[in-house]
Amino acid sequence: LYQVRYFLAVAERLNFTRAAERLHVAQPSLTRAIQKLEDELGGQLFRRERANTHLTELGRMMLPHLQASLAAAEA
């Protein structure tokens, strides 16, 4: 479930460093968790460019599903 939280934080901020700061985790840990989630889902969720991170097609498709999953888990 932490991977879902991490994904949603990065999707909201579109910045790995700021998302890590918000979550109070080290940026490399956040990146590894996102990479593991990408491996499990079978594709990249973000395009990582130096100053421009954005959701891929898979990331956009997964966003509402992962938001709903987190909300259900928290309820």
Side-chain angles (χ1 to χ4, degrees), residues 11 13 19 26 34 40-41 44 46 57 59 66-67 71 74:
R13 286 162 181 73
I34 296 292
E40 291 171 7
L41 295 174
Q44 282 192 320
F46 298 98
E57 178 77 22
L66 294 176
Q67 288 170 325
E74 289 177 341

Short mmCIF file of all heavy atoms in Angstrom, two decimals, residues 11 13 19 26 34 40-41 44 46 57 59 66-67 71 74:
data_model
loop_
_atom_site.label_atom_id
_atom_site.label_comp_id
_atom_site.label_asym_id
_atom_site.label_seq_id
_atom_site.Cartn_x
_atom_site.Cartn_y
_atom_site.Cartn_z
N ALA A 11 2.46 11.68 -8.40
CA ALA A 11 1.50 12.09 -9.42
C ALA A 11 0.93 13.48 -9.11
O ALA A 11 0.69 14.27 -10.02
CB ALA A 11 0.37 11.07 -9.53
N ARG A 13 2.48 15.91 -7.29
CA ARG A 13 3.51 16.94 -7.34
C ARG A 13 4.34 16.93 -8.62
O ARG A 13 4.98 17.92 -8.94
CB ARG A 13 4.45 16.80 -6.15
CG ARG A 13 3.76 17.28 -4.88
CD ARG A 13 4.43 16.79 -3.64
NE ARG A 13 3.72 17.27 -2.47
CZ ARG A 13 2.55 16.81 -2.06
NH1 ARG A 13 1.95 15.86 -2.72
NH2 ARG A 13 1.96 17.30 -0.99
N ALA A 19 7.87 15.07 -3.48
CA ALA A 19 7.01 14.00 -2.97
C ALA A 19 7.69 13.28 -1.80
O ALA A 19 7.06 12.99 -0.80
CB ALA A 19 6.67 13.01 -4.08
N ALA A 26 13.34 9.10 2.20
CA ALA A 26 14.47 9.45 1.34
C ALA A 26 14.05 9.30 -0.12
O ALA A 26 13.32 8.37 -0.47
CB ALA A 26 15.65 8.54 1.64
N ILE A 34 8.62 3.19 -6.47
CA ILE A 34 7.92 3.45 -7.73
C ILE A 34 8.39 2.47 -8.80
O ILE A 34 7.58 1.92 -9.56
CB ILE A 34 8.13 4.91 -8.19
CG1 ILE A 34 7.51 5.89 -7.19
CG2 ILE A 34 7.59 5.13 -9.60
CD1 ILE A 34 6.01 5.89 -7.11
N GLU A 40 5.73 -4.37 -11.23
CA GLU A 40 4.53 -5.17 -10.96
C GLU A 40 3.42 -4.88 -11.97
O GLU A 40 2.67 -5.78 -12.34
CB GLU A 40 4.04 -4.90 -9.54
CG GLU A 40 4.96 -5.44 -8.48
CD GLU A 40 4.60 -4.99 -7.08
OE1 GLU A 40 3.55 -4.35 -6.89
OE2 GLU A 40 5.39 -5.29 -6.16
N LEU A 41 3.34 -3.63 -12.43
CA LEU A 41 2.29 -3.24 -13.37
C LEU A 41 2.71 -3.44 -14.83
O LEU A 41 1.88 -3.35 -15.73
CB LEU A 41 1.88 -1.78 -13.14
CG LEU A 41 1.21 -1.51 -11.80
CD1 LEU A 41 0.97 -0.02 -11.62
CD2 LEU A 41 -0.10 -2.29 -11.67
N GLN A 44 6.20 1.76 -17.37
CA GLN A 44 6.54 3.00 -16.68
C GLN A 44 5.29 3.78 -16.34
O GLN A 44 4.37 3.89 -17.16
CB GLN A 44 7.45 3.87 -17.54
CG GLN A 44 8.88 3.44 -17.57
CD GLN A 44 9.74 4.53 -18.20
OE1 GLN A 44 9.36 5.17 -19.16
NE2 GLN A 44 10.93 4.71 -17.64
N PHE A 46 5.78 6.99 -14.94
CA PHE A 46 6.23 8.38 -15.11
C PHE A 46 7.31 8.44 -16.17
O PHE A 46 8.12 7.54 -16.30
CB PHE A 46 6.82 8.93 -13.81
CG PHE A 46 5.84 8.99 -12.67
CD1 PHE A 46 5.80 8.00 -11.73
CD2 PHE A 46 4.96 10.06 -12.56
CE1 PHE A 46 4.89 8.04 -10.69
CE2 PHE A 46 4.05 10.12 -11.52
CZ PHE A 46 4.02 9.11 -10.58
N GLU A 57 1.02 7.17 -20.27
CA GLU A 57 -0.33 6.67 -20.55
C GLU A 57 -0.76 5.68 -19.46
O GLU A 57 -1.87 5.76 -18.94
CB GLU A 57 -0.36 5.99 -21.92
CG GLU A 57 -1.70 5.41 -22.30
CD GLU A 57 -2.69 6.45 -22.75
OE1 GLU A 57 -2.27 7.53 -23.18
OE2 GLU A 57 -3.90 6.18 -22.68
N GLY A 59 0.39 5.49 -16.41
CA GLY A 59 0.22 6.26 -15.18
C GLY A 59 -1.13 6.95 -15.13
O GLY A 59 -1.82 6.93 -14.11
N LEU A 66 -5.82 3.54 -8.54
CA LEU A 66 -5.01 3.55 -7.32
C LEU A 66 -5.56 4.53 -6.29
O LEU A 66 -5.48 4.26 -5.09
CB LEU A 66 -3.55 3.85 -7.67
CG LEU A 66 -2.87 2.76 -8.52
CD1 LEU A 66 -1.46 3.17 -8.91
CD2 LEU A 66 -2.86 1.43 -7.79
N GLN A 67 -6.14 5.64 -6.74
CA GLN A 67 -6.81 6.54 -5.81
C GLN A 67 -7.97 5.84 -5.11
O GLN A 67 -8.13 5.94 -3.89
CB GLN A 67 -7.33 7.79 -6.53
CG GLN A 67 -6.25 8.74 -6.96
CD GLN A 67 -6.74 9.84 -7.87
OE1 GLN A 67 -7.65 9.64 -8.69
NE2 GLN A 67 -6.14 11.02 -7.76
N ALA A 71 -8.34 4.88 -1.11
CA ALA A 71 -9.53 5.33 -0.36
C ALA A 71 -10.26 4.16 0.27
O ALA A 71 -10.68 4.23 1.43
CB ALA A 71 -10.46 6.12 -1.29
N GLU A 74 -8.27 2.83 3.24
CA GLU A 74 -8.31 3.72 4.40
C GLU A 74 -9.68 3.75 5.07
O GLU A 74 -9.79 4.07 6.23
CB GLU A 74 -7.89 5.13 3.99
CG GLU A 74 -6.41 5.23 3.66
CD GLU A 74 -5.99 6.60 3.17
OE1 GLU A 74 -6.87 7.38 2.75
OE2 GLU A 74 -4.79 6.88 3.22
#
